[in-house]
Amino acid sequence: MLSRQILPPPAGAAEYNRIFEISIKIDFHLFNFLFYAVSSDILRDGNMKKKSQIPLYLLNIMCFIWLGDVFMNFLKYGPIKALIAILSLLALIPAALSVSNRVVQENISLQNEHMNHLRNEFYQTYTPKAESRLTAFDLDKAITDKVKFNEVSFIGTHNSYQLAATQEYARVFQAIDTATFGLISADRADFSMESLTSQLEVGIRSFELDIQTVVENGKTGFTVSHIPFLDEPSNCYRLESALEEIKLWSDANPKHLPITLMIEPKEYLLPLRNMRGFTADYAAELDTLLREVFGETLLTPADMMGTHSSLKEMREQDDWLPLGDTMGKILVLLHDTSITHSYIMRDESIKTQAMFPMLSYGDRDRSYASFILDNDPSDALSHKSELIDRCHLIVRTRADSFTNRDEKTAQTAIQSGAQILSTDYPPKTDGASSEVFTFDGGYLVKLSSVK
């Protein structure tokens, strides 16, 4: 199991902590505004490309309001204290970068050790486990009966890479908790997932990885973490190694249930550490990487649609591949972002792309629609007759979020008929977790209500 060693604080840590706490408490709102101003598309290119981005733009409006509040506080407390606030905030930047660089190095070291363990030890004496232990139905019979891929529901994990926050980042979460009056809980700093291999071992067959694009020495790479410089602990920091980890497990379990991997390119851009904004060209490079690592294990949109002219034609004829034909395969889904449309337009038939584009409810009748992102389970339930019964789409929804789990929401997610149900409360390898989301009977895979 992955574990992060807590390193002793660096020299001058006491002074750093004092500046850190003063800086955030003086005005976290200003920091929040600056972060989202750099992050948002509305300031980057002044164009509302997608309705799904409207909440981000509203957040920017809130940030402007908060900035006005900051200014009034400056007037209230006088120019000297205002200057101190600005200087202390500026003093935070190099310290925060220093902490971030340390966390990145820890991520890389942790992942290298883990991958060496898998290659040289774990799989040397490995024995595959029967997939039938995960299913609430007779798996062999379902395969014989030609049950289709879209007629099966899987439990997956949200932010599948996440590790608990370091002490420095935990202070950020505490500050956010204070600034938002508990709307964003400081307990989120405790959110942690086991390694991808451990999750596969307990039966998780759907993952979500958030990525950033990095270009170094002319070579494009991708890293996996939540928010650069603010929330970076990751159990699979380098995407290429993360893909290899999944492939190693797949090779050792050639008859496994299909694995879906949702990749979410983060839309904010911080022009540091060689990061780049995700573009359609980088998406094409990601396609190449996926084909190189997964090889014949990768199940592409072209494989899924077979002789059909489009994914829509395939769906209209209710002709998703049988579950048996997807066993041992990995499907990669590109999260619905501002780049998704450009990725699709490279070949609108989607026959040459490696990833299935995930779309929103409003795009359900597109010729390239196959997977729909409907994260609110109440919405997913209300859209069930349209998305699943009529359009024969595969829906991903969320059963919970960390620190916010209730049985009603979980049951709504199940009743929605969604085929991918994402949770922050998966089973653990040690079985110690008291809060776990599963289907009835503790199963992680069941027949959905498609029929």
Side-chain angles (χ1 to χ4, degrees), residues 321-341:
L321 283 179
L323 177 64
D325 290 355
T326 67
M327 299 291 284
K329 297 293 187 178
I330 301 170
L331 297 79
V332 182
L333 321 176
L334 178 62
H335 193 283
D336 187 26
T337 71
S338 60
I339 301 303
T340 304
H341 179 72

Side-chain angles (χ1 to χ4, degrees), residues 389-426:
D389 299 336
R390 183 182 76 82
C391 295
H392 302 290
L393 289 154
I394 290 180
V395 175
R396 186 263 198 176
T397 195
R398 292 186 61 181
D400 50 57
S401 61
F402 192 68
T403 74
N404 185 21
R405 180 178 183 271
D406 64 87
E407 190 60 28
K408 181 179 179 181
T409 301
Q411 288 304 313
T412 300
I414 293 173
Q415 292 165 11
S416 73
Q419 296 93 330
I420 302 175
L421 291 85
S422 178
T423 181
D424 286 344
Y425 294 88

